[in-house]
Amino acid sequence: MTVRRLDMGVDLFAGLANAAMPRLERAPKILVFDSGLGGLTVLAALDVALPGADYVYAADDAAFPYGSLDDQRLVARVVAVMERLIARETPDLVVVACNTASTLALPALRTRFALPFVGTVPAVKPAVAATKSGLVTILATAGTVRREHTRAMIDAFAGEAEVTLVGAPNLAGYAEAELRGSPAEDAELAAEIAPCFVERDGRRTDAVALACTHFPLLMDRFRSIAPWEVKWIDPAPAVARRVAALVGDAPMGEHGAQRALFTSDRALPKALVEALAARGVTEVERCLFALD
Ligand code: DGL
């Protein structure tokens, strides 16, 4: 039993793709998927690593936040949305830019679709490598915190480090609000991140892994309200490196504008349109799909 859990943790951490990347004569089409706007942090890293790929960003905002869906419902939802997105966009590779979905639904996705999937899972190993005090925090959604996979990764990679797992109920929503031009108060953010900061035997937490792709959107604000300095670990560049390795020497196109799809018909306030444009996303389409 222990061995099986460890194997799954290692597999998820490495973000191993299930299907081989096809050999391409054109730029690869990469679908970047999240419950909302958090995956934009991964898209930005991909855009740096592979600027000539063809990206489509998909936000299942009709079902946001994934952190509050129960496991069975979340897997069914992610597979159903992916079915539509893959049929519509025919990507060559899918990046599940969502820890809450990756830590649960990757096996189902890899079984159902003959495509390479790269997931985003808590950066336990980099956080442990970064700590000097031996006190590390993994900051995630409530869903990611309760996953067996998350626990298995801690078992596999924590070593001597003491890991505090913090499930923040509102942070992903605050990150969405920030991009939509209605930022949360400092006190609201401070209350969410307060449990990350642990003092024990004269030592203090010095590394915090941001295990939800929404959270790096708030990184500057975290830095300004943190009770002391820590290393904030954003796994997006590592995910981008993994994708670049899979894509290999496929030909690349022009560095062009990107497109985003939303599953709800929620209005896009001016602040969000500007935030998307600042990330190179100038075209928005709807792929409406209400949550049952
Ligand atoms: N961006 C998602 C993640 O990485 C979570 C946001 C949500 O709860 O939907 O976990």
Side-chain angles (χ1 to χ4, degrees), residues 33-39 41-42 57 60 63-69 74 96-103 120 140-144 147 168-169 171-173 176 210-216:
F33 174 80
D34 183 32
S35 59
L37 303 170
T41 60
V42 178
Y57 184 79
D60 184 17
F64 178 87
Y66 277 0
S68 62
L69 293 187
L74 179 55
V96 182
C98 175
N99 293 258
T100 313
S102 298
T103 50
T120 312
T141 64
T144 299
R147 303 267 186 271
L171 266 189
E176 295 263 325
L210 298 175
C212 167
T213 54
H214 279 74
F215 299 169

